Amino acid sequence: MMLSKKSIEYNFSRIFALIFGLTLYLAISAASAQPSQRLLLSDNIIAETQQLSVRKQLDVISNINTQRSADAKTLIDLLDQQHVQQPLANIDLLRLTLLHCFNLLEFGEFNQAISFAKQGEINAREFKYDTARPYFIQCQAIAHQSLGNTLQEQQLTEEALRLAKRYSEKQAIVNSLYARSRQNTSLENYNSAIEDLRFALDIYGEAQSQFQHWYLLPISYIQSEISNVFFSMGEYEEALHFSELAYKDISFFGKIKSTVTLNLALIHIALNDKAKVLYFLNKAEDFSKNINIGSERDLANQYALLAIIHLYVDDYDIAEKLALSSIELFTK
């Protein structure tokens, strides 16, 4: 059965909010700990990263975790092997465990991520690095969210935020505000979501300059989530503004490159600008050819977004195939 344009547009913002919200997960460390862009985009990133100190290797892993998840996993495994031969310093081992936890999320290993998070928090207490605890709690909260355990997710997010404020961990505060905003958006508490995200942006500079780097969302993720909230509110010009900011950010590489570009196409559907829709659709498909998605969850999200866009431009057969592929992966 062919859907009318009117029926597509009626539920469009709700579909966008649901699918787009699934694409944004905790990802990358602070910009002040940012490795060079040349390294992050290198085809030889594994070998080049291994030439760095352990601390800098951890920074690289943190920066590419959601962008180049398979490469991040390889580097994590190599450091795990190194630790067996030559034990890492406690603080480096703790951060490696944290990065491993977030990397497991990328591959849908949610129960294993919960185990890592719980053990990581125990180790943080043992090593006297309580400031790391909110980050492990955040990883656990995301895993529960992915498993559909809403109550556990909400409780853990609030606990992570409480501890982040207690220890003045600005990076953890930013991450927790982002997570809570996504919860509020799903409940249509849009004003609360915007308030959290604006506060996260206000303190982002302080989070970047935090003395001990653990884990910090790239600012493009926060900008993208603000775009999502405004879109859900029907404020399409505001949504466009923040997606364009994310599109221009330095963290715009890897998987997020395709995702943000697809989001821009979706926003232009709402603005009824078919030429721009086609422009960003072509851009996204070009990006996808050069990006190894790796995670089946991310691939399912991308197929769903592409299906919506192809439906809008009257590519019904392509839209149907993409939708069925997305359903198959989500079901799996």
Side-chain angles (χ1 to χ4, degrees), residues 124-141:
R125 292 174 183 271
E126 180 183 342
F127 296 157
K128 308 299 183 185
Y129 286 112
D130 282 352
T131 55
R133 289 174 56 205
Y135 302 92
F136 285 106
I137 295 173
Q138 287 165 356
C139 185
Q140 190 179 165

Side-chain angles (χ1 to χ4, degrees), residues 34-48:
Q34 174 107 354
S36 71
Q37 195 74 354
R38 184 204 62 77
L39 174 58
L40 296 178
L41 300 176
S42 173
D43 292 333
N44 199 28
I45 190 171
I46 303 299
E48 290 186 43

Side-chain angles (χ1 to χ4, degrees), residues 111-125:
N111 287 314
Q112 192 176 354
I114 291 171
S115 297
F116 262 72
K118 289 179 177 179
Q119 185 59 52
E121 191 183 358
I122 292 171
N123 292 344
R125 292 174 183 271

Side-chain angles (χ1 to χ4, degrees), residues 174-185:
V174 168
N175 298 339
S176 295
L177 288 171
Y178 165 82
R180 190 168 70 178
S181 75
R182 293 183 64 229
Q183 294 167 7
N184 278 320
T185 299

Side-chain angles (χ1 to χ4, degrees), residues 105-300:
L105 297 175
E106 293 299 309
F107 294 95
E109 300 291 343
F110 305 124
N111 287 314
Q112 192 176 354
I114 291 171
S115 297
F116 262 72
K118 289 179 177 179
Q119 185 59 52
E121 191 183 358
I122 292 171
N123 292 344
R125 292 174 183 271
E126 180 183 342
F127 296 157
K128 308 299 183 185
Y129 286 112
D130 282 352
T131 55
R133 289 174 56 205
Y135 302 92
F136 285 106
I137 295 173
Q138 287 165 356
C139 185
Q140 190 179 165
I142 295 168
H144 278 293
Q145 186 272 334
S146 300
L147 292 169
N149 302 329
T150 304
L151 181 59
Q152 291 95 320
E153 174 204 2
Q154 292 175 341
Q155 291 174 339
L156 289 164
T157 297
E158 290 300 326
E159 175 65 5
L161 184 56
R162 184 187 70 81
L163 287 177
K165 291 178 178 179
R166 175 181 174 183
Y167 298 128
S168 298
E169 285 289 310
K170 295 297 175 61
Q171 293 181 357
I173 292 174
V174 168
N175 298 339
S176 295
L177 288 171
Y178 165 82
R180 190 168 70 178
S181 75
R182 293 183 64 229
Q183 294 167 7
N184 278 320
T185 299
S186 69
L187 296 171
E188 300 186 16
N189 297 328
Y190 300 131
N191 290 334
S192 296
I194 289 289
E195 183 179 347
D196 279 345
L197 291 166
R198 289 199 183 280
F199 182 51
L201 283 178
D202 287 344
I203 66 170
Y204 197 86
E206 296 174 58
Q208 285 179 307
S209 60
Q210 183 174 296
F211 178 73
Q212 171 57 49
H213 295 282
W214 290 107
Y215 209 76
L216 176 65
L217 275 167
I219 197 169
S220 60
Y221 271 44
I222 299 171
Q223 292 162 337
S224 295
E225 184 60 20
I226 292 180
S227 175
N228 175 40
V229 179
F230 276 122
F231 193 98
S232 300
M233 296 170 67
E235 300 287 344
Y236 302 132
E237 292 293 345
E238 287 289 338
L240 178 62
H241 170 70
F242 282 102
S243 274
E244 288 178 336
L245 289 178
Y247 188 84
K248 298 172 184 176
D249 190 76
I250 193 172
S251 60
F252 183 72
F253 70 93
K255 289 184 289 186
I256 192 70
K257 196 171 186 177
S258 178
T259 300
V260 172
T261 307
L262 287 172
N263 293 338
L264 282 164
L266 292 166
I267 293 168
H268 282 293
I269 290 177
L271 295 172
N272 201 28
D273 189 338
K274 191 170 184 178
K276 285 287 182 67
V277 173
L278 288 169
Y279 172 80
F280 285 112
L281 173 60
N282 290 332
K283 279 279 189 183
E285 291 183 332
D286 285 343
F287 291 153
S288 296
K289 293 175 185 176
N290 301 312
I291 296 170
N292 179 17
I293 297 296
S295 166
E296 289 187 335
R297 180 201 65 205
D298 291 328
L299 196 59

